[in-house]
């Protein structure tokens, strides 16, 4: 039984930004600005709106192939948004235009090299002064593999996630490969770095062999925030072993509770239970003054798209107040926050920042001002030291 005198735990809230919105017909809605989807101004405006709502972070979706409605191939449909800007580069462009909000680009671990991803996200952490993260994803699609030509047969799911876990481990070690005080910058002595504080990581695994050190100094957060989605046992292992934030589809209380329990069991098996792990529920949201209005909007969008919207996360239609009710109910399944996908960014992002957030604040479960300057700080995560510095000591 909860103690009524104990203040409710703060809720963490993030928003996923993808084109004009999660719904495939979102780009045809009033205010969607399809002509600006590939401009810096568009993304800067979205980030500013999210920061106005005091959100913890925004994710920038990405992929290795054009968007498709089909799970295994490109659907050839010309009536959908096609094409994306690079997520890490977009986040870096937005970084100096914001001050507090976390910036979490999606990165596909399959086919990419962890050395490149490590220095890209470290650079994002430097230019944002400690607000970087990454959202790790995998790809088992043959048409995406053909962009790279390194594999003729896709990896099985378990191998994809095992490779991703090694990918993250290499990234993390490279972030640690410079100690915090490795840079001396002493003009008088001519010493810019202390070479003894740069370390080879000498990672030897099934998928990668990386010596290091990184070419980028240690990120301001030490370790930028690593996140990934959990949707099945293979992905649960990645979330449990390798991330600071895991996302689970918040379809309903029972399924959310089962996913949370499975990830917690996997976490316990890794021996990392002493380290905090946030689990966020994922929901696609259509917000209006009431549920009938939101439902009618979704039906109209589905008619434009020519098929019902079947998001892989749960779908909510209703008012901001009703969504606040659901978030507080659903977090009882063991969630500490939510990653919301606006169905139509032009409509639902402002509804989140200007209606949902004030409602959560009124209920005493969401911040009224930013309380930290880094993403780790916003999430209540400590700043880890370099594992190599500890070893040297």
């Amino acid at each position: 039984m909860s103690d009524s005198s104990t203040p409710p735990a703060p809720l963490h809230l993030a928003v996923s930004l993808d084109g004009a919105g999660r719904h495939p017909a979102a780009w045809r809605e009033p205010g969607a600005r399809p002509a600006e989807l590939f401009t810096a101004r568009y993304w800067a405006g979205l980030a500013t709106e999210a920061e106005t709502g005091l959100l913890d972070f925004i994710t920038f979706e990405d992929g290795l192939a054009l968007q498709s409605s089909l799970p295994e191939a490109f659907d050839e449909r010309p009536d959908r948004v096609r094409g994306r800007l690079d997520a890490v580069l977009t986040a870096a462009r937005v970084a100096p235009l914001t001050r507090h909000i976390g910036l979490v680009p999606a990165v596909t671990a399959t086919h990419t090299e962890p050395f490149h991803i490590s220095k890209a996200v470290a650079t994002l952490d430097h230019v944002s002064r400690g607000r970087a993260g990454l959202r790790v994803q995998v790809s088992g699609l043959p048409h995406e593999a053909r962009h790279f030509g390194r594999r003729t047969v896709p990896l099985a799911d378990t191998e994809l996630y095992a490779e991703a876990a090694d990918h993250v481990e290499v990234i993390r070690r490279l972030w640690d490969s410079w100690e915090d005080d490795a840079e001396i910058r002493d003009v008088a002595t001519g010493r810019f770095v202390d070479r003894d504080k740069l370390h080879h990581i000498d990672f030897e695994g099934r998928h990668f062999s990386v010596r290091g050190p990184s070419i980028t100094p240690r990120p301001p957060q030490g370790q930028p925030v690593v996140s990934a989605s959990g949707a099945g046992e293979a992905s649960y292992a990645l979330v449990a072993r390798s991330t600071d934030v895991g996302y689970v589809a918040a379809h309903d209380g029972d399924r959310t509770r089962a996913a949370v329990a499975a990830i917690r069991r996997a976490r316990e098996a890794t021996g990392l239970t002493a380290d905090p792990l946030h689990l966020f529920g994922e929901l696609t949201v259509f917000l209006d003054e009431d549920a009938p209005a939101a439902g009618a909007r979704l039906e109209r969008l589905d008619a434009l798209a020519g098929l019902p919207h079947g998001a892989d996360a749960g779908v909510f239609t209703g008012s901001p107040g009703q969504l606040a009710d659901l978030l507080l109910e659903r977090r009882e399944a063991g969630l500490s926050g939510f990653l919301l996908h606006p169905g139509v960014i032009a409509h639902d992002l402002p509804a989140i920042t200007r209606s949902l957030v004030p409602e959560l604040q009124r209920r005493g479960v969401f911040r009224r001002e930013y309380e930290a300057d880094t993403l780790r700080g916003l999430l209540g995560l400590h700043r880890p030291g370099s594992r190599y510095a500890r070893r040297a000591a």
Side-chain angles (χ1 to χ4, degrees), residues 38-54:
F38 304 135
T39 67
R41 179 174 58 185
Y42 176 78
W43 293 95
L46 302 187
T48 301
E49 178 67 36
E51 187 170 65
T52 300
L54 305 177

Side-chain angles (χ1 to χ4, degrees), residues 7 58 67 69 159 163 169 189 212 221 268 280 286 326 349 353 359:
I58 49 180
Q67 300 91 325
S69 303
E159 276 297 295
E163 180 185 61
E169 180 62 20
T189 63
Q221 293 182 100
E268 189 172 348
F280 279 30
F286 297 85
L326 182 138
L349 176 59
T353 56
E359 179 62 25

Side-chain angles (χ1 to χ4, degrees), residues 5 99 145 184 243 321 335 349 351 389:
S5 65
R99 295 182 58 194
I184 300 171
T243 72
L335 303 174
L349 176 59

Side-chain angles (χ1 to χ4, degrees), residues 46-353:
L46 302 187
T48 301
E49 178 67 36
E51 187 170 65
T52 300
L54 305 177
L55 304 187
D56 289 82
F57 61 88
I58 49 180
T59 65
F60 301 84
E61 301 308 309
D62 207 343
L64 299 179
L66 293 175
Q67 300 91 325
S68 175
S69 303
L70 302 176
E72 301 294 335
F74 182 52
D75 64 12
E76 306 283 353
R77 291 188 62 157
D79 62 338
R80 307 294 170 86
V81 170
R82 295 292 185 248
R84 290 187 171 102
L85 300 179
D86 182 273
V88 177
L89 293 178
T90 302
R93 177 65 182 88
V94 165
L97 306 177
T98 52
R99 295 182 58 194
H100 300 285
I101 196 165
L103 306 170
V104 181
V107 168
T108 302
T110 314
H111 309 304
T112 62
E113 295 294 336
F115 190 89
H116 294 146
I117 301 301
S118 171
K119 68 185 181 70
V121 176
T123 300
L124 176 62
D125 207 45
H126 280 285
V127 300
S128 67
R129 298 187 177 183
R131 293 183 285 123
L134 75 164
R135 179 175 183 168
V136 179
Q137 53 193 20
V138 301
S139 168
L141 300 176
H143 65 283
E144 293 193 355
R146 286 195 289 271
H147 289 318
F148 300 88
R150 295 176 182 169
R151 290 177 177 146
T152 56
V153 179
L155 294 178
D157 268 6
T158 52
E159 276 297 295
L160 281 173
Y161 284 101
E163 180 185 61
D166 277 1
H167 198 287
V168 173
E169 180 62 20
V170 172
I171 288 173
R172 287 188 180 279
R173 291 189 189 200
L174 286 168
W175 288 337
D176 281 349
S177 66
W178 288 54
E179 294 185 34
D180 287 315
D181 55 353
E183 299 161 77
I184 300 171
R185 305 188 189 97
D186 189 334
V187 174
T189 63
R191 296 180 73 212
F192 189 85
V193 297
D194 182 343
R195 189 62 188 83
D196 292 337
K197 295 188 176 182
L198 271 60
H199 303 276
H200 299 299
I201 68 169
D202 291 326
F203 181 89
E204 294 287 345
R206 181 171 177 180
H207 303 284
F208 305 103
S209 177
V210 180
R211 187 166 195 232
S214 176
I215 64 165
T216 307
R218 192 153 196 260
Q221 293 182 100
Q223 297 267 329
V225 173
V226 178
S227 66
S229 291
E233 291 298 326
S235 59
Y236 292 162
L238 173 68
V239 171
R241 171 184 164 187
S242 304
T243 72
D244 305 294
V245 178
Y247 311 111
V248 297
H251 293 287
D252 57 52
D254 287 342
R255 282 188 284 180
T256 303
R257 197 171 294 107
V260 169
I263 293 171
R264 293 295 180 195
R265 285 195 299 272
R267 184 77 163 180
E268 189 172 348
T270 66
L272 296 173
T273 49
D275 297 330
L277 171 64
H278 284 288
L279 294 178
F280 279 30
E282 283 194 81
L283 274 174
T284 298
V285 297
F286 297 85
L287 299 174
D288 282 285
E289 63 272 19
D290 54 38
R297 184 158 62 94
L298 177 56
E299 287 183 10
R300 181 170 55 77
L301 286 161
D302 286 349
L304 280 173
L307 77 171
H309 179 53
D312 48 5
V315 176
F316 172 85
T317 56
S319 70
Q322 290 169 324
L323 178 57
D325 290 339
L326 182 138
L327 298 186
L328 295 180
E329 172 196 324
R330 200 61 54 79
R331 79 167 174 175
E332 296 303 320
L335 303 174
S336 53
F338 289 87
L339 175 63
L340 303 180
H341 300 263
V344 177
I345 286 177
H347 183 105
D348 296 300
L349 176 59
I352 291 168
T353 56

